Amino acid sequence: MSWDAIRDAIDAKDQGRVIGLVRGLDGPGRKEVADRLPGKLKEMRDATRFGDLERGYHRPLMMAGAGTIGGAAAVAAWLCRREFDTWWLRSQGRELRRDLDAVTADRPAEWRADVARRIADRLRITDFAESVLPRWHMAAGLTLSAGAEPPAADGFVVLWASGGADPSALADDPFLDALVPRLFEADGVGTALAFDENTLQYKPDGEKSWVGALAGLSASGRLDRGMLLDGCVSRFLRGGTPHELRWFVRLHEVLDPTAEELAARARDYVRLLPAAPPKVADVALQAVRQADDREPIEEPLFEEAAGAVLFRPEKKLVRAGLTWADRTARKHDRVDAALRAVLAVFSSDALDLRERAVKVAVKHAGKASAEAREGVRIAAAELPDTLRAMIAEAFGEVGAAAPEPWAPPGPPPFVPREMPAPIGSPAELAEEFAVLLRTEHPDWLAVERFVAALVAFAYQDIDGTRNALRPVVDKRAPWLADPDQQIGHHEKDWTLFSVRCLLVPKTPGRLVEALASLVKGWSRKGETVFDPQLDRFLALRGREIAAAVGRVPVLLATPTTAAGHVDPDVLVERLERLEAAGAEPGRAELAQAMLRVPREIDPAAVTRAKGLASPAGQAMAAWLAAGPQPDPDVRCEVLEEPTATVGDRTLRLPSRIFSAVSFPGDSDIARLCSFPEEGWRDFGRPKFSHTFAWWPGITPSHREIAAAQLVPYQAGLTDEAWLQGTTMLALAEADGPSGAATGTLLACTLANAHERHRADAVDALLTLSARGVLPAAETGAAIGRLAAFGRIKLGRIGKALGSAADAGAHADVWTIIAAALPEVLAEPDGHAVRGLPDLLALGTRTAETTRARGAIPALEAVAGRGGSSRPVKEAARLHRTLTAT
């Protein structure tokens, strides 16, 4: 039978024999083989462990299908099956073309061209080129054997450019003339060729890049140069990301158009100036300027081009546009047009560009018409006094801006986060558990909400709670329910450990050790514990919570606000429930509840608490009756030397920042809040802990306590992405005074290398500002000292503070900058801190907005040096603003 012979050839991995047998089949024989192939493929897949075909079977199966399946669509689908996408076929594209030519030689040309088009349509521009390159070779081979036009699919063009064609032999490529114009039309080409020239370092000598090959063919006359230039410009006009347009920019540069070629396309280049990516806009501006140098372009076209480029945000382009307008205003007799264009820069936030635009206008005032002069005077009304005076001297009196009631803008108002509703049922508890299992670093509020609900539901119906959670556990964490499975470090995870204690009832171990490590700083074995004290506190409280599952009706310290506070009335009600159940809160749970009492206490809650009878209830009643706790003495500063003396100890400070909290007494709370701990031998080194974002919620009424303890661990990590932004947001939500510790931590987070953390820091700054508790001067002082020591990058700070100013915090941003400047301004023979000019420029902007006045001696000294360096120029500009009358 026909099938038996072909099956044996497939099993022998002999595609040559398969091709010979297939070509000898008649119509019924082809149909029989085509019908049997899917079953054979399934059988071979089922025989392997992972459902993958063994190496060597792919080509025989593919050729058997290509030679026997009737319809073009079905053949294309067979050849493109997922089972045939394998790495060892990626280098066999030409062999596939040869085999496919042989096995389909008897098929009509129209049929082969149809199969080729259908395979090409399955090539996606997002496909990894090497993985689908065999498909491209099959489509290309069938197209050539049929003598057909190349497929129009974008994927076919992209694969031709990124693997199917050899740039070094491009002149003889059969697809050259048809597909080169398509390079500028097909989506995905720019991405595929973005690093075209970079790949040459991995290729043998003599290889060419696509840019070099096309430029060479253009120079030899093999390709039309005009077509390539028009293609680049048309691709620019279509738009795209800088990455997508990179290769086309490079091709345009290598083609090096002449002034005549640029002039012929000048209008298209002008159309690119308003919104093209910066690199493309730069190419377009150079093209328009070169064309203008050859022969002045029409004045309306000049005004359109100059106006477009001078409205762009990129300072380099605006500076180039100003230079062009200045240089050609008189040379090409278009002073009025140049002046109308530069007026756009009068409102720029870039102070140096604004000043440059004013100087350009003043330079050409003598040749301006009366109408143009009036336009300049009107536009100058919003300029600062010094620049308005320059315009008035050259153009005549300038009217002041329309008088308006003035008040410095402020940040958006602070709106506290709403607390999520408590979990309402065991089924909802299971859904929340599934979410927490998938979350790498869950929000501490979400964890508190979960364990509070778990404890409550387990007390009411422990079996029902187990049954609700078990399906999630069985699917995602079956080891939690295995009593013989040790869970190791997962004991520190409140969520997992609490569920474990629900499913495997057993009093959590090491409670005594956890208590000793918190209270005495050492473990039950007498070993010193170097974990931060707030982390040791969280570890103890987590064990107490796990021990409470099924045993107490409610957790005492679960917060009722997003900042971490617990309403005093709710506290008393929870204690009443615990007393009714004959239960006592754990030691850490009670301390946490006390620390979460808000700074304002309802007298009614104090009166109600007097009726509590348990030891915990009486302790809480006394705590509430004593009223808000006094704010402890917190010290935080950046030291000249990385050492500090505390008592009789000399501490090494990895980040030069020393912080300390003096909290009197010998209570658990005093030991928890005091820092460094008595007898502590290690001040703490920069490290990662996902619990840092929890610390502000431990002391939500005393923000500075958490900030001071965070500083040693989070300062010095400005290049890391270790939840610094989340931690800073949590601090901003807390209550209590903000001082040097909060300001120092904010300074370090504003300087983080990762944009999302800087954005969180800006949000925290705005929150603190809106609440009236931003330690602006302390933040600025920390920024200045840390930048002067090279511990943070001032450029990142400037960008973050600029965002805060744009959001309305102009006054606080100016205070921060003013406090930072004395530290970062270089000595007369020194070098400016990198990023200082941008910070000075932002200082000028915010000083103008807030109408700040008053000389800064260090700034005055730098401004008086003279010279053309940017730090000196920006310092002089800020000094003029601060001393203007």
Side-chain angles (χ1 to χ4, degrees):
M1 293 176 62
S2 304
W3 168 244
D4 294 336
I6 290 177
R7 180 194 60 207
D8 292 343
I10 292 172
D11 290 340
K13 303 179 181 178
D14 189 344
Q15 73 267 12
R17 184 146 58 99
V18 169
I19 293 170
L21 291 170
V22 165
R23 294 190 63 180
L25 292 175
D26 57 12
R30 290 175 185 270
K31 185 177 186 307
E32 179 190 7
V33 173
D35 291 343
R36 296 287 195 112
L37 279 174
K40 176 63 175 173
L41 177 59
K42 183 178 184 303
E43 173 190 320
M44 298 173 76
R45 286 183 53 199
D46 292 345
T48 64
R49 181 178 179 184
F50 299 109
D52 296 328
L53 287 178
E54 185 180 324
R55 184 173 183 175
Y57 288 127
H58 301 74
R59 284 168 60 188
L61 283 166
M62 294 168 74
M63 295 309 112
T68 60
I69 299 172
V75 170
W78 174 261
L79 292 173
C80 294
R81 286 185 70 100
R82 181 192 62 81
E83 294 89 344
F84 301 147
D85 287 340
T86 182
W87 63 270
W88 52 72
L89 278 184
R90 295 174 188 175
S91 61
Q92 299 181 21
R94 300 191 185 281
E95 290 81 356
L96 279 173
R97 289 168 67 165
R98 180 198 63 209
D99 292 346
L100 204 54
D101 281 350
V103 82
T104 61
D106 297 335
R107 302 279 190 136
E110 295 81 2
W111 181 92
R112 279 175 279 157
D114 192 9
V115 174
R117 285 191 295 272
R118 292 176 184 276
I119 294 175
D121 287 341
R122 290 173 176 266
L123 299 173
R124 302 287 180 263
I125 62 173
T126 54
D127 289 335
F128 178 56
E130 289 189 5
S131 66
V132 295
L133 197 55
R135 295 184 185 179
W136 183 87
H137 278 291
M138 290 189 290
L142 289 169
T143 297
L144 293 174
S145 71
E149 288 294 317
D154 287 356
F156 188 83
V157 181
V158 171
L159 266 293
W160 177 69
S162 58
D166 178 5
S168 299
L170 209 53
D172 298 323
D173 191 292
F175 295 130
L176 178 70
D177 295 313
L179 294 190
V180 165
R182 290 279 292 132
L183 292 175
F184 306 101
E185 301 168 353
D187 289 334
V189 171
T191 301
L193 295 179
F195 301 106
D196 170 42
E197 291 181 310
N198 297 27
T199 59
L200 290 183
Q201 60 183 308
Y202 304 110
K203 294 184 177 182
D205 293 341
E207 291 280 349
K208 287 186 177 181
S209 67
W210 270 88
V211 164
L214 293 178
L217 294 176
S218 169
S220 68
R222 176 68 177 80
L223 287 176
D224 179 33
R225 177 180 171 84
M227 178 269 293
L228 294 177
L229 284 173
D230 287 339
C232 289
V233 174
S234 66
R235 186 62 187 84
F236 296 154
L237 289 168
R238 281 180 55 203
T241 66
H243 182 70
E244 292 168 338
L245 298 176
R246 170 180 174 165
W247 181 79
F248 300 99
V249 170
R250 180 59 182 148
L251 178 60
H252 188 279
E253 291 174 347
V254 171
L255 290 173
D256 192 19
T258 64
E260 290 79 8
E261 289 172 325
L262 296 173
R265 298 166 176 82
R267 291 188 179 278
D268 287 332
Y269 288 117
V270 171
R271 290 168 57 196
L272 291 168
L273 291 173
K279 186 63 177 177
V280 175
D282 186 45
V283 168
L285 180 58
Q286 291 182 43
V288 174
R289 291 179 64 176
Q290 288 182 48
D292 191 43
D293 287 342
R294 173 182 174 271
E295 181 178 345
I297 60 177
E298 299 173 1
E299 185 170 296
L301 190 61
F302 162 79
E303 196 165 348
E304 179 184 350
V309 77
L310 293 177
F311 264 112
R312 291 189 64 101
E314 299 86 9
K315 295 180 69 173
K316 176 184 176 182
L317 288 172
V318 175
R319 194 175 292 111
L322 286 171
T323 300
W324 179 38
D326 178 25
R327 186 169 58 83
T328 62
R330 297 185 183 181
K331 179 180 177 181
H332 295 331
D333 193 22
R334 53 189 183 209
V335 168
D336 284 3
L339 289 175
R340 286 192 294 270
V342 301
L343 295 184
V345 191
F346 277 22
S347 58
S348 173
D349 286 338
L351 307 180
D352 55 333
L353 295 180
R354 191 167 60 187
E355 191 172 294
R356 169 70 175 143
V358 167
K359 290 179 178 179
V360 170
V362 169
K363 177 180 177 179
H364 298 288
K367 297 289 186 178
S369 67
E371 182 181 0
R373 295 173 68 87
E374 177 64 18
V376 172
R377 288 196 297 271
I378 293 172
E382 300 290 342
L383 288 170
D385 294 342
T386 54
L387 297 182
R388 193 163 62 243
M390 291 172 63
I391 294 293
E393 184 178 352
F395 289 87
E397 184 177 353
V398 176
E404 295 179 1
W406 181 86
F414 170 63
V415 179
R417 284 191 297 163
E418 292 187 8
M419 277 293 288
I423 295 173
S425 67
E428 187 181 340
L429 183 75
E431 293 176 1
E432 186 68 14
F433 182 53
V435 172
L436 291 174
L437 281 176
R438 295 192 299 268
T439 306
E440 183 179 7
H441 300 304
D443 179 70
W444 68 273
L445 271 178
V447 176
E448 291 260 16
R449 176 172 174 261
F450 175 82
V451 294
L454 177 63
V455 167
F457 289 133
Y459 186 78
Q460 297 165 13
D461 180 5
I462 194 165
D463 290 333
T465 307
R466 286 182 185 134
N467 293 336
L469 287 170
R470 194 172 293 278
V472 179
V473 172
D474 290 344
K475 181 178 180 181
R476 300 187 181 278
W479 45 271
L480 270 180
D482 184 354
D484 298 324
Q485 178 74 46
Q486 298 296 319
I487 66 171
H489 69 277
H490 290 301
E491 290 186 359
K492 296 182 179 180
D493 186 313
W494 288 12
T495 303
L496 293 176
F497 197 32
S498 298
V499 172
R500 165 76 167 194
C501 290
L502 172 73
L503 300 176
V504 184
K506 182 180 178 183
T507 301
R510 295 198 289 275
L511 266 171
V512 174
E513 183 177 336
L515 179 60
S517 73
L518 174 66
V519 175
K520 299 182 179 180
W522 43 265
S523 70
R524 187 167 53 183
K525 299 176 183 178
E527 297 171 346
T528 303
V529 179
F530 288 104
D531 290 332
Q533 62 209 64
L534 293 183
D535 267 1
R536 300 189 332 260
F537 174 74
L538 290 172
L540 174 60
R541 185 167 171 241
R543 290 185 175 278
E544 290 182 354
I545 290 170
V549 173
R551 294 181 173 88
V552 302
V554 65
L555 289 179
L556 181 62
T558 303
T560 57
T561 73
H565 295 101
V566 184
D567 184 274
D569 281 321
V570 175
L571 266 180
V572 176
E573 187 271 335
R574 288 174 180 171
L575 281 164
E576 291 171 346
R577 290 179 61 189
L578 288 170
E579 289 186 3
E584 282 275 321
R587 186 167 173 175
E589 187 74 5
L590 179 61
Q592 179 63 93
M594 290 177 172
L595 283 169
R596 284 181 170 169
V597 171
R599 297 176 75 86
E600 295 184 4
I601 303 173
D602 185 354
V606 177
T607 302
R608 183 179 174 186
K610 293 178 180 178
L612 296 170
S614 65
Q618 292 178 353
M620 182 60 71
W623 182 266
L624 294 176
Q629 294 296 302
D631 293 307
D633 180 28
V634 179
R635 173 189 170 196
C636 183
E637 57 184 304
V638 182
L639 303 177
E640 292 286 342
E641 298 295 332
T643 57
T645 300
V646 179
D648 60 352
R649 291 176 294 154
T650 298
L651 301 177
R652 189 76 182 168
L653 308 175
S655 59
R656 286 183 180 267
I657 303 172
F658 174 74
S659 60
V661 181
S662 298
F663 201 106
D666 190 36
S667 64
D668 287 350
I669 290 177
R671 283 190 292 271
L672 186 63
C673 295
S674 297
F675 185 79
E677 295 175 80
E678 186 67 30
W680 200 240
R681 294 183 298 173
D682 182 10
F683 185 62
R685 294 182 177 276
K687 62 178 288 187
F688 169 72
S689 172
H690 76 277
T691 59
F692 286 154
W694 296 44
W695 290 15
I698 297 176
T699 59
S701 292
H702 298 279
R703 176 188 293 113
E704 277 284 276
I705 293 176
Q709 298 199 34
L710 282 164
V711 162
Y713 300 103
Q714 289 209 325
L717 295 177
T718 54
D719 289 333
E720 308 295 339
W722 286 352
L723 302 178
Q724 293 96 319
T726 304
T727 304
M728 197 62 236
L729 286 172
L731 272 179
E733 281 190 311
D735 285 340
S738 296
T742 300
T744 301
L745 209 60
L746 178 59
C748 293
T749 314
L750 288 167
N752 193 274
H754 301 272
E755 186 175 354
R756 67 181 183 276
H757 291 294
R758 292 199 303 273
D760 285 344
V762 170
D763 286 344
L765 186 157
L766 295 172
T767 296
L768 292 166
S769 178
R771 301 180 71 186
V773 292
L774 175 68
E778 292 89 342
T779 302
I783 288 172
R785 290 185 67 80
L786 289 170
F789 286 132
R791 304 309 296 250
I792 62 175
K793 295 185 178 180
L794 209 55
R796 299 171 184 170
I797 292 282
K799 291 179 181 178
L801 291 179
S803 298
D806 291 341
H810 296 82
D812 281 323
V813 169
W814 164 245
T815 302
I816 290 171
I817 293 173
L821 287 179
E823 299 288 347
V824 295
L825 289 169
E827 296 298 324
D829 56 347
H831 298 285
V833 176
R834 188 171 184 178
L836 176 61
D838 289 335
L839 189 71
L840 289 166
L842 178 61
T844 303
R845 178 157 69 94
T846 52
E848 284 180 356
T849 303
T850 58
R851 300 182 183 178
R853 295 294 182 269
I856 298 175
L859 179 70
E860 186 175 6
V862 174
R865 290 180 196 168
S868 60
S869 69
R870 189 169 172 230
V872 171
K873 291 170 67 176
E874 294 293 355
R877 186 178 290 114
L878 176 55
H879 179 65
R880 287 196 300 270
T881 300
L882 293 176
T883 55
T885 57

